[in-house]
Amino acid sequence: MACKTLLKLFSTLAAAALISACGPQIGKEAATPKGIAAEHQLALTDVVSSQLAPLSLGGNEYLLLASEKRGLVLVDKEGNEKLALDGGTVERFALHPLEQGSWLIAVYDEDSGELQLRLLDVEEGSPRIRYLAAMATDAPQVAMCFSSQAGRTHLFAIDETGLGHEYVVHPREQAWTFTGLRPLYFGEQVSSCVVDDRRGKLLVAQPPLGIWSLNADAEMDEARQVFIAASDLPAGEFGGLWLDEVNGNLWLTVAEKVMAFDINDPAKGPLFVETLADIEPVSAAVQGEALLALEEESDQVHRFAVSLPQPPAEMQAFRGPVEIPRVRASGQTAPVASGGDAADDPAIWVNPAKPSASLILGTDKKSGLSVYDLSGKLVEHFEVGRVNNVDLRPMQHGKFVAIAAATNRTDPGVSLFGITAAGAVEYLGLRNLEMEDPYGLCVYRKGADLMTWVSDKEGAVQLLQIVPGTGNVDWSLRKVASLEVASQVEGCVVDDEMQMLFFGEEDGGIWRLDIAAYLAGEAKPQLIAPVDGERLAADVEGMGFYHAADKSYLVVSSQGNNSYALFNRDGSEFVGHFKVDINLDKGLDGSSETDGLEVSSAALGAQYPQGLLVVQDGRNRMPSASQNFKLVSWADIAETLQLP
């Protein structure tokens, strides 16, 4: 301490003398080991590399290196060069295994300003790299990583401004294609990324903030959180992520150190920490029993003999979630006019004279009711307020062949719409209710009468009769009964023939009520399908009935796992479930976070010969846009679930 004080007070010459006097202390610091030394260096020629990755190809082990002079360079374990692009300036790449032992490579070429796809495979016993596709970018890409999702290959690419994009990369005819799925926003200084496909997590290194974890599936909430905080890492630049998928370890470089964390539980601290002598690595990986490390813009790969961490017990025992079957979307509607969480609930009007001219009614809960044709084109929009749920039934009337009703939260009540035989929709006005916040709604027929159940968001469910009028203004609602419920109810549907009400308690499950018995004071609601996190994951939302000649199904939106559950007609037996998936051939994304749905068994033309399911899509992707409704052919659902 005395030496330090004197150094601050004396002149440079005096300080130099004192430094000499303090020599034993400095000598002690100098004697501290700097770290482990490399057992071997692989000397390369004109590579100038800042990233490496090990791979197996044709039964042999190789290293792939980014090259600022020659694009990509492949060397064997001894450092012997096997091939190079011999062109382009590449600092970063992503690597993804394909079938038959080949590899897909994504690179950003600084010379062309392109994000490129390449294929690494073997021809006549020798490795080769082939060009697949390229796409110009607005800014240099600083991080790239691949993901496997539902049999597809997804690519995440993040540029130097922090703007990321997710693409589906896939072959189409004679070339590969980048299909944009969604943007992602990070901010500057992103250094690298990897994807843990077992858990569906995208991991992004962003000095000096830390390493982020996000859901890799675009149809899930982003759920961004800190995976490893910068405060839990040594001081210095960090990045250079590499995931050992076999052993479940995430490797990264930090200043002069290489570290490894258990991908299952990074909070318990690093499994491996080593300081490397004489180098500050920017890329590190494990090949066999050796640790490989690379300095920035280097022509040498350093190989270290170290004691590697064993696979964690969690990794050995881990089993990914059970994959829910997927059915591709067949079509979609135009996006709703309002942004944010706006689209909510659909209804289907079947045109009895010309089924292919049927209509889809969909609510924009910030604006009104939209009408679409079966191609998804917007036919008309009624700006009548914050309509939430909509349902309809055919009826005999002098002017209309069907009546639709929708809860209206702007001026609490129910908005009515008439549909003519020609498919024209007319607004019949609003009928007010003694209700705080009209929310869920379902319409049904009781003999010649048209009935509707309407839920108050924070209160009871009311049964109302829709009393027809001769004109557009003299329709009315007559309250018949009230049903007390334990918590919030939105989705509901009635089996008209059986006179059974089914409604969803969002975090509870599916309830069933014999309407006639209830009105006679002889029945109460029964919980027939509780939320279990698998078949039904809260929230329980939209409901519809598919009535076929020999089989009927209750279809329910299981919002918590972005799936749709099928039950038998009385709701007592789980039949199966599915997700609505991307349709690359038609450029359609899947659906997620679904509120309302509707289903019809009517043959609606060549595209929907066995009927149609319409679901609200909470995240409209490819490209990102306001919410809309996805259309799914029932024939595809039946085939996927092998329904009789």
Side-chain angles (χ1 to χ4, degrees):
M1 179 65 68
C3 290
K4 290 182 180 179
T5 303
L6 290 171
L7 284 170
K8 293 180 181 179
L9 298 175
F10 285 87
S11 66
T12 303
L13 290 175
L18 286 170
I19 289 172
S20 177
C22 294
Q25 293 179 347
I26 292 176
K28 182 178 180 180
E29 292 176 1
T32 302
K34 293 184 178 181
I36 59 172
E39 65 168 353
H40 184 60
Q41 286 93 20
L42 305 181
L44 311 173
T45 304
D46 287 332
V47 172
V48 188
S49 179
S50 299
Q51 184 184 357
L52 59 76
L55 60 90
S56 297
L57 184 67
N60 298 311
E61 299 296 321
Y62 296 96
L63 283 178
L64 184 67
L65 298 109
S67 173
E68 295 186 28
K69 288 188 174 182
R70 301 165 62 195
L72 291 170
V73 175
L74 186 74
V75 301
D76 64 17
K77 293 177 65 174
E78 286 71 40
N80 301 310
E81 187 173 309
K82 294 301 178 181
L83 62 84
L85 290 182
D86 284 327
T89 300
V90 175
E91 291 188 11
R92 295 287 182 270
F93 65 84
L95 198 58
H96 181 67
L98 297 176
E99 295 180 356
Q100 289 82 44
S102 59
W103 294 84
L104 185 64
I105 309 171
V107 302
Y108 175 71
D109 184 352
E110 293 187 6
D111 293 344
S112 65
E114 292 178 331
L115 188 59
Q116 299 178 352
L117 291 178
R118 304 272 180 169
L119 179 68
L120 174 61
D121 63 4
V122 174
E123 182 183 38
E124 296 181 355
S126 298
R128 62 174 179 173
I129 295 180
R130 290 187 286 163
Y131 171 88
L132 295 178
M135 179 183 67
T137 63
D138 294 330
Q141 307 295 298
V142 296
M144 292 166 287
C145 47
F146 283 109
S147 171
S148 292
Q149 299 182 33
R152 297 182 303 270
T153 301
H154 293 231
L155 174 66
F156 294 92
I158 307 170
D159 68 28
E160 64 182 9
T161 71
L163 176 60
H165 287 91
E166 180 182 2
Y167 304 96
V168 181
V169 292
H170 54 102
R172 177 165 289 171
E173 297 177 354
Q174 301 301 315
W176 280 60
T177 300
F178 295 83
T179 299
L181 195 55
R182 60 167 166 167
L184 293 162
Y185 305 95
F186 295 97
E188 297 179 356
Q189 294 182 280
V190 169
S191 60
S192 58
C193 67
V194 295
V195 177
D196 176 11
D197 279 328
R198 293 197 182 203
R199 288 160 186 78
K201 298 296 184 182
L202 167 65
L203 305 177
V204 177
Q206 189 178 20
L209 301 177
I211 298 175
W212 299 104
S213 169
L214 300 79
N215 279 325
D217 187 343
E219 297 295 355
M220 298 179 67
D221 283 331
E222 193 176 273
R224 186 178 305 209
Q225 59 183 356
V226 175
F227 187 73
I228 301 174
S231 58
D232 294 331
L233 299 173
E237 288 295 313
F238 60 86
L241 300 180
W242 180 77
L243 179 60
D244 182 351
E245 296 183 359
V246 175
N247 294 319
N249 296 323
L250 178 69
W251 293 80
L252 68 151
T253 60
V254 187
E256 75 281 3
K257 299 181 185 295
V258 174
M259 308 177 72
F261 288 82
D262 178 0
I263 198 73
N264 305 291
D265 188 10
K268 67 185 180 185
L271 305 174
F272 176 95
V273 182
E274 283 288 0
T275 300
L276 307 186
D278 304 322
I279 72 168
E280 288 194 5
V282 295
S283 181
V286 171
Q287 188 173 50
E289 298 299 320
L291 172 67
L292 307 177
L294 186 71
E295 281 193 289
E296 188 172 5
E297 298 181 346
S298 174
D299 281 332
Q300 279 192 335
V301 176
H302 300 260
R303 188 192 301 271
F304 298 86
V306 294
S307 179
L308 298 173
Q310 295 298 311
E314 303 97 303
M315 187 68 183
Q316 298 176 30
F318 177 79
R319 296 292 182 271
V322 176
E323 181 66 22
I324 297 174
R326 295 174 181 254
V327 180
R328 297 195 305 171
S330 304
Q332 65 180 351
T333 68
V336 297
S338 304
D341 184 18
D344 194 276
D345 189 46
I348 302 171
W349 174 68
V350 177
N351 186 326
K354 187 179 180 182
S356 61
S358 298
L359 299 174
I360 298 168
L361 280 61
T363 62
D364 178 339
K365 59 189 177 187
K366 297 181 179 181
S367 163
L369 183 76
S370 296
V371 181
Y372 309 91
D373 62 21
L374 292 184
S375 72
K377 178 183 177 182
L378 178 65
V379 176
E380 191 171 7
H381 180 71
F382 296 91
E383 293 189 6
V384 297
R386 298 167 53 226
V387 294
N388 199 73
N389 277 38
V390 63
D391 199 7
L392 61 84
R393 284 294 187 274
M395 71 172 301
Q396 293 182 348
H397 184 269
K399 185 176 182 181
F400 303 115
V401 296
I403 295 297
T407 49
N408 196 317
R409 304 171 72 184
T410 298
D411 187 3
V414 172
S415 294
L416 298 177
F417 302 83
I419 305 173
T420 70
V425 181
E426 296 185 20
Y427 182 46
L428 304 181
L430 175 72
R431 305 298 179 267
N432 290 113
L433 294 176
E434 293 182 1
M435 189 175 285
E436 290 288 331
D437 191 0
Y439 196 49
L441 174 146
C442 48
V443 177
Y444 73 103
R445 292 191 59 81
K446 179 185 178 184
D449 295 332
L450 201 60
M451 313 293 291
T452 181
W453 291 91
V454 180
S455 70
D456 192 333
K457 187 170 184 179
E458 302 299 336
V461 181
Q462 293 185 15
L463 175 60
L464 309 169
Q465 181 182 356
I466 302 174
V467 181
T470 55
N472 287 9
V473 296
D474 54 351
W475 293 68
S476 62
L477 300 177
R478 183 176 69 86
K479 184 176 178 180
V480 176
S482 182
L483 173 67
E484 296 296 327
V485 292
S487 64
Q488 185 169 287
V489 169
E490 182 177 9
C492 66
V493 67
V494 174
D495 184 332
D496 293 33
E497 181 182 352
M498 306 299 292
Q499 292 290 290
M500 288 284 184
L501 168 68
F502 296 80
F503 62 89
E505 184 185 4
E506 293 189 350
D507 58 359
I510 302 171
W511 294 78
R512 183 181 64 202
L513 177 66
D514 184 321
I515 299 173
Y518 174 73
L519 295 178
E522 299 172 354
K524 294 181 179 180
Q526 295 177 295
L527 181 63
I528 56 173
V531 166
D532 60 7
E534 296 180 3
R535 299 180 304 176
L536 288 176
D539 291 345
V540 175
E541 292 283 348
M543 296 182 177
F545 262 111
Y546 180 89
H547 288 301
D550 57 346
K551 205 74 175 178
S552 294
Y553 300 100
L554 174 64
V555 186
V556 181
S557 167
S558 174
Q559 193 179 74
N561 58 5
N562 297 322
S563 71
Y564 309 91
L566 267 64
F567 294 84
N568 66 345
R569 185 169 185 171
D570 68 6
S572 62
E573 180 183 342
F574 176 73
V575 176
H577 54 180
F578 62 94
K579 293 185 176 183
V580 176
D581 199 20
I582 291 172
N583 188 329
L584 290 174
D585 295 335
K586 295 184 177 181
L588 304 172
D589 68 311
S591 66
S592 59
E593 207 168 65
T594 291
D595 289 322
L597 62 78
E598 187 56 283
V599 61
S600 171
S601 61
L604 302 178
Q607 190 170 5
Y608 306 108
Q610 297 180 34
L612 169 67
L613 171 68
V614 181
V615 302
Q616 182 260 358
D617 183 11
R619 302 180 183 89
N620 190 15
R621 312 289 195 186
M622 293 176 60
S624 294
S626 297
Q627 294 178 344
N628 69 349
F629 299 90
K630 294 296 187 288
L631 283 60
V632 187
S633 170
W634 187 267
D636 294 339
I637 297 170
E639 180 181 2
T640 299
L641 298 185
Q642 298 182 337
L643 301 178

